[in-house]
Amino acid sequence: MTGSVGSQSAVPRKSGSCDMSKMVQYAKSIVAQAVAKEKAGEFGLAAQYYLKAADILLIMANNTDNYKDYTAYFEYASNYHRKINQMLQQVHKAKASIPGS
């Protein structure tokens, strides 16, 4: 994958367990990419991947009838948003500590 995370349109609808299972696997693969980018120091791309995973999880939360699943998806999405915020704060602090920036 080059440069940035591609966008795909998500069609909100109530999904069967098979579709949700595929969405969970998709979200997990995006998170794995985010973790890899973060470890490589590519924080901008990592943030994009985490944000995409959070978006998918929020769509899943809104399209489930199971409250337990809803809260789990929502909590994961919230955690990824917090992770993005922390990463951006670290990048900002690092840039602020560089003389002349």
Side-chain angles (χ1 to χ4, degrees), residues 16-49:
S17 62
C18 183
D19 290 340
M20 285 300 227
S21 159
K22 289 179 184 178
M23 294 291 285
V24 167
Q25 291 304 316
Y26 183 51
K28 285 181 179 181
S29 72
I30 291 172
V31 170
Q33 292 173 346
V35 169
K37 293 298 181 187
E38 185 179 5
K39 285 181 180 179
E42 298 178 44
F43 299 113
L45 281 176
Q48 290 178 30
Y49 281 115

Side-chain angles (χ1 to χ4, degrees), residues 2 8 11 16 48-49 65:
T2 60
Q8 296 177 345
V11 180
Q48 290 178 30
Y49 281 115
D65 294 328

